[in-house]
Amino acid sequence: EIVMTQSPATLSVSPGERATLSCRASQSVSSNLAWYRQRPGQAPRLLIYEASTRATGIPARFSGSGSGTEFTLTISSLQSEDFAVYFCQQYNNWLTFGGGTKVEIK
Amino acid sequence: QVQLVQSGAEVKKPGASVKVSCKASGYTFTSYSMHWVRQAPGQRLEWMGIVNPTGGYTDYAQKFQGRVTMTSDTSTSTVYMELSSLRSEDTAVYYCARDSGDSSGNYFDYWGQGTLVTVSS
Protein backbone atom coordinates (compact mmCIF):
# COMPACT_ATOMS: atom_id res chain seq x y z
CA GLU A 1 0.00 0.00 0.00
CA ILE A 2 1.26 3.46 -0.88
CA VAL A 3 1.46 5.61 2.24
CA MET A 4 0.77 9.31 1.84
CA THR A 5 2.34 11.66 4.38
CA GLN A 6 1.22 15.27 4.67
CA SER A 7 3.06 18.10 6.38
CA PRO A 8 2.69 20.08 8.43
CA ALA A 9 -0.18 18.64 10.43
CA THR A 10 -1.32 22.17 11.29
CA LEU A 11 -0.51 25.41 9.51
CA SER A 12 -1.32 28.78 11.08
CA VAL A 13 -1.76 31.52 8.49
CA SER A 14 -3.27 35.00 8.47
CA PRO A 15 -6.05 35.83 5.99
CA GLY A 16 -4.60 37.08 2.72
CA GLU A 17 -1.31 35.28 3.24
CA ARG A 18 0.10 32.39 1.26
CA ALA A 19 -0.11 28.77 2.40
CA THR A 20 2.07 25.92 1.19
CA LEU A 21 1.08 22.35 1.97
CA SER A 22 3.15 19.25 1.26
CA CYS A 23 2.28 15.66 0.44
CA ARG A 24 4.82 12.86 0.09
CA ALA A 25 4.22 9.37 -1.30
CA SER A 26 6.09 6.29 -0.09
CA GLN A 27 6.71 5.36 -3.74
CA SER A 28 6.17 7.09 -7.04
CA VAL A 29 2.57 7.86 -7.99
CA SER A 30 3.54 9.69 -11.19
CA SER A 31 1.11 12.63 -11.47
CA ASN A 32 -1.87 10.62 -10.21
CA LEU A 33 -2.58 12.82 -7.23
CA ALA A 34 -5.61 14.82 -6.14
CA TRP A 35 -6.17 17.43 -3.45
CA TYR A 36 -9.38 18.03 -1.51
CA ARG A 37 -10.58 20.64 0.96
CA GLN A 38 -12.87 19.65 3.81
CA ARG A 39 -14.61 22.30 5.88
CA PRO A 40 -15.94 21.33 9.33
CA GLY A 41 -19.04 19.17 9.08
CA GLN A 42 -18.90 19.05 5.29
CA ALA A 43 -17.86 16.52 2.70
CA PRO A 44 -14.52 16.92 0.94
CA ARG A 45 -14.42 18.99 -2.25
CA LEU A 46 -12.09 18.26 -5.15
CA LEU A 47 -9.59 21.07 -5.75
CA ILE A 48 -6.81 19.63 -7.93
CA TYR A 49 -6.33 16.45 -9.96
CA GLU A 50 -3.41 15.10 -11.99
CA ALA A 51 -1.24 16.95 -9.49
CA SER A 52 -1.72 20.37 -11.06
CA THR A 53 -5.08 20.66 -12.85
CA ARG A 54 -7.71 22.73 -11.09
CA ALA A 55 -11.15 21.15 -10.88
CA THR A 56 -14.19 22.87 -12.32
CA GLY A 57 -15.08 26.04 -10.45
CA ILE A 58 -11.91 26.14 -8.33
CA PRO A 59 -10.40 29.64 -8.17
CA ALA A 60 -6.95 30.40 -9.49
CA ARG A 61 -5.52 31.03 -6.01
CA PHE A 62 -5.23 27.25 -5.72
CA SER A 63 -2.31 25.65 -7.51
CA GLY A 64 -0.73 22.22 -7.38
CA SER A 65 2.70 21.02 -8.39
CA GLY A 66 4.98 18.02 -8.20
CA SER A 67 5.29 14.50 -9.55
CA GLY A 68 6.69 11.19 -8.45
CA THR A 69 6.79 11.32 -4.65
CA GLU A 70 6.73 15.02 -3.76
CA PHE A 71 3.73 17.28 -4.19
CA THR A 72 2.71 20.77 -3.11
CA LEU A 73 -0.59 22.60 -2.84
CA THR A 74 -0.28 26.37 -2.72
CA ILE A 75 -3.05 28.77 -1.78
CA SER A 76 -1.84 32.19 -2.86
CA SER A 77 -4.08 34.39 -0.69
CA LEU A 78 -6.13 32.70 1.98
CA GLN A 79 -9.82 33.53 2.14
CA SER A 80 -12.10 32.79 5.09
CA GLU A 81 -13.52 29.69 3.41
CA ASP A 82 -10.02 28.24 3.00
CA PHE A 83 -9.52 27.64 6.71
CA ALA A 84 -10.19 23.93 6.61
CA VAL A 85 -8.49 20.55 6.39
CA TYR A 86 -6.75 19.54 3.16
CA PHE A 87 -6.18 15.98 2.02
CA CYS A 88 -4.10 14.52 -0.76
CA GLN A 89 -5.06 11.26 -2.46
CA GLN A 90 -3.05 9.06 -4.81
CA TYR A 91 -4.74 7.01 -7.48
CA ASN A 92 -1.76 5.42 -9.14
CA ASN A 93 -1.96 2.15 -7.23
CA TRP A 94 -5.29 1.53 -5.52
CA LEU A 95 -6.50 4.60 -3.64
CA THR A 96 -4.99 6.02 -0.46
CA PHE A 97 -5.22 9.33 1.36
CA GLY A 98 -2.88 11.47 3.38
CA GLY A 99 -3.59 12.25 7.00
CA GLY A 100 -4.51 15.86 6.28
CA THR A 101 -3.22 19.36 6.99
CA LYS A 102 -5.38 21.68 9.03
CA VAL A 103 -5.07 25.30 7.95
CA GLU A 104 -6.07 27.53 10.84
CA ILE A 105 -6.32 31.26 11.38
CA LYS A 106 -3.21 32.79 12.89
CA GLN B 1 -26.32 20.20 -10.66
CA VAL B 2 -24.86 16.96 -9.42
CA GLN B 3 -26.19 15.91 -6.03
CA LEU B 4 -25.53 12.84 -3.93
CA VAL B 5 -27.93 12.52 -1.01
CA GLN B 6 -27.23 9.86 1.60
CA SER B 7 -29.46 8.20 4.14
CA GLY B 8 -29.50 9.24 7.77
CA ALA B 9 -27.39 8.33 10.76
CA GLU B 10 -27.50 4.79 12.12
CA VAL B 11 -26.74 3.22 15.48
CA LYS B 12 -26.00 -0.49 15.41
CA LYS B 13 -24.91 -3.14 17.86
CA PRO B 14 -21.72 -5.15 17.36
CA GLY B 15 -22.27 -8.05 14.99
CA ALA B 16 -25.14 -6.36 13.17
CA SER B 17 -25.22 -5.08 9.60
CA VAL B 18 -25.85 -1.61 8.22
CA LYS B 19 -27.00 -0.52 4.78
CA VAL B 20 -26.36 3.05 3.65
CA SER B 21 -27.94 4.53 0.53
CA CYS B 22 -26.79 7.28 -1.80
CA LYS B 23 -29.28 8.78 -4.26
CA ALA B 24 -27.77 10.52 -7.26
CA SER B 25 -29.26 13.27 -9.40
CA GLY B 26 -28.19 15.88 -11.93
CA TYR B 27 -26.30 13.55 -14.26
CA THR B 28 -26.65 10.27 -16.15
CA PHE B 29 -26.43 7.75 -13.33
CA THR B 30 -25.14 4.89 -15.45
CA SER B 31 -22.25 6.92 -16.87
CA TYR B 32 -20.20 7.10 -13.68
CA SER B 33 -19.04 4.60 -11.11
CA MET B 34 -19.50 5.32 -7.43
CA HIS B 35 -17.05 4.83 -4.59
CA TRP B 36 -17.52 4.47 -0.87
CA VAL B 37 -15.02 6.11 1.49
CA ARG B 38 -15.13 6.21 5.25
CA GLN B 39 -13.61 8.44 7.90
CA ALA B 40 -13.32 7.12 11.44
CA PRO B 41 -12.84 9.60 14.29
CA GLY B 42 -9.32 10.99 14.18
CA GLN B 43 -8.37 8.76 11.27
CA ARG B 44 -7.60 9.44 7.64
CA LEU B 45 -10.06 8.83 4.83
CA GLU B 46 -10.20 5.18 3.82
CA TRP B 47 -11.33 3.85 0.44
CA MET B 48 -13.72 0.91 0.72
CA GLY B 49 -14.66 0.04 -2.83
CA ILE B 50 -16.33 0.93 -6.10
CA VAL B 51 -19.54 -0.06 -7.87
CA ASN B 52 -20.33 0.46 -11.53
CA PRO B 53 -24.07 1.04 -11.94
CA THR B 54 -23.92 -0.42 -15.44
CA GLY B 55 -23.79 -4.15 -14.93
CA GLY B 56 -23.07 -3.94 -11.21
CA TYR B 57 -19.32 -4.55 -11.37
CA THR B 58 -17.69 -4.11 -7.97
CA ASP B 59 -14.18 -3.99 -6.57
CA TYR B 60 -13.50 -3.88 -2.85
CA ALA B 61 -10.50 -2.96 -0.75
CA GLN B 62 -8.93 -6.11 0.60
CA LYS B 63 -9.61 -4.99 4.17
CA PHE B 64 -13.37 -5.14 3.60
CA GLN B 65 -13.68 -8.16 1.33
CA GLY B 66 -16.18 -10.63 2.70
CA ARG B 67 -17.88 -7.98 4.84
CA VAL B 68 -18.99 -5.32 2.35
CA THR B 69 -21.49 -5.43 -0.48
CA MET B 70 -22.06 -2.54 -2.87
CA THR B 71 -25.06 -2.53 -5.17
CA SER B 72 -26.94 -0.15 -7.42
CA ASP B 73 -30.52 0.38 -8.54
CA THR B 74 -30.72 2.14 -11.87
CA SER B 75 -34.49 2.63 -11.56
CA THR B 76 -33.97 4.99 -8.63
CA SER B 77 -30.40 6.17 -9.36
CA THR B 78 -29.32 4.89 -5.97
CA VAL B 79 -26.27 3.01 -4.81
CA TYR B 80 -26.05 1.06 -1.57
CA MET B 81 -23.26 -0.02 0.73
CA GLU B 82 -23.91 -2.80 3.21
CA LEU B 83 -21.34 -3.63 5.87
CA SER B 84 -21.80 -6.71 8.01
CA SER B 85 -20.34 -8.10 11.25
CA LEU B 86 -19.97 -4.60 12.59
CA ARG B 87 -17.48 -3.85 15.33
CA SER B 88 -16.70 -0.70 17.27
CA GLU B 89 -13.87 0.15 14.88
CA ASP B 90 -16.44 0.55 12.12
CA THR B 91 -17.82 3.66 13.81
CA ALA B 92 -17.23 6.30 11.14
CA VAL B 93 -18.75 8.71 8.68
CA TYR B 94 -19.40 6.90 5.42
CA TYR B 95 -19.35 8.85 2.18
CA CYS B 96 -20.38 7.98 -1.34
CA ALA B 97 -18.23 9.75 -3.90
CA ARG B 98 -18.65 9.85 -7.65
CA ASP B 99 -15.77 8.67 -9.78
CA SER B 100 -14.50 11.40 -12.07
CA GLY B 101 -14.61 9.17 -15.12
CA ASP B 102 -11.12 10.36 -16.01
CA SER B 103 -9.11 7.78 -17.90
CA SER B 104 -6.03 8.65 -15.83
CA GLY B 105 -7.48 7.09 -12.72
CA ASN B 106 -9.95 7.19 -9.90
CA TYR B 107 -10.47 10.38 -8.03
CA PHE B 108 -13.71 11.83 -6.73
CA ASP B 109 -15.42 14.86 -8.23
CA TYR B 110 -18.61 14.89 -6.10
CA TRP B 111 -19.29 13.61 -2.62
CA GLY B 112 -22.39 12.85 -0.59
CA GLN B 113 -22.96 14.63 2.70
CA GLY B 114 -21.86 11.62 4.73
CA THR B 115 -23.68 9.15 6.98
CA LEU B 116 -22.58 8.60 10.57
CA VAL B 117 -22.65 4.97 11.58
CA THR B 118 -22.13 4.34 15.28
CA VAL B 119 -21.44 0.82 16.51
CA SER B 120 -22.06 0.47 20.21
CA SER B 121 -23.46 -2.09 22.59
Side-chain angles (χ1 to χ4, degrees), chain B residues 61-72:
Chain B
Q62 187 172 11
K63 175 176 180 176
F64 300 101
Q65 288 197 10
R67 272 210 310 146
V68 72
T69 304
M70 297 178 187
T71 56
S72 63

Side-chain angles (χ1 to χ4, degrees), chain A residues 3-5 32 34 36 38 41-46 48-50 56 87 89-91 94-99, chain B residues 35 37 39 43-47 59-62 65 95 100 102 104-114:
Chain A
V3 178
M4 307 301 292
T5 303
N32 296 319
Y36 303 87
Q38 186 176 29
Q42 296 188 16
R45 180 178 182 181
L46 176 66
I48 300 284
Y49 62 94
E50 288 182 28
T56 302
F87 296 97
Q89 176 233 334
Q90 68 81 20
Y91 49 95
W94 294 95
L95 308 177
T96 54
F97 292 86
Chain B
H35 300 261
V37 177
Q39 188 171 35
Q43 303 296 311
R44 63 184 61 195
L45 291 159
E46 183 174 35
W47 179 75
D59 194 12
Y60 304 136
Q62 187 172 11
Q65 288 197 10
Y95 294 100
S100 65
D102 191 334
S104 69
N106 305 115
Y107 55 92
F108 319 110
D109 58 359
Y110 292 94
W111 296 64
Q113 84 276 19

Side-chain angles (χ1 to χ4, degrees), chain B residues 10-12 16-20 81-84 86 94 117:
Chain B
E10 303 262 13
V11 179
K12 295 291 182 181
S17 297
V18 68
K19 192 170 186 176
V20 180
M81 186 283 299
E82 184 170 21
L83 189 63
S84 62
L86 290 169
Y94 290 76
V117 174

Side-chain angles (χ1 to χ4, degrees), chain A residues 11-17 19 37-40 61-62 75 77-86 101-106:
Chain A
L11 187 61
S12 298
V13 187
S14 299
E17 288 190 340
R37 177 182 68 188
Q38 186 176 29
R39 295 177 187 156
R61 66 179 183 272
F62 291 92
I75 311 168
S77 176
L78 277 160
Q79 307 298 303
S80 57
E81 61 268 30
D82 300 332
F83 292 96
V85 179
Y86 292 80
T101 291
K102 180 180 180 181
V103 177
E104 64 176 24
I105 300 175
K106 187 175 182 180

Side-chain angles (χ1 to χ4, degrees), chain A residues 4-7 21-25 33 35 69-72 88:
Chain A
M4 307 301 292
T5 303
Q6 291 187 242
S7 61
L21 290 66
S22 295
C23 176
R24 175 178 292 177
L33 185 109
W35 289 94
T69 61
E70 301 282 344
F71 300 88
T72 300
C88 60

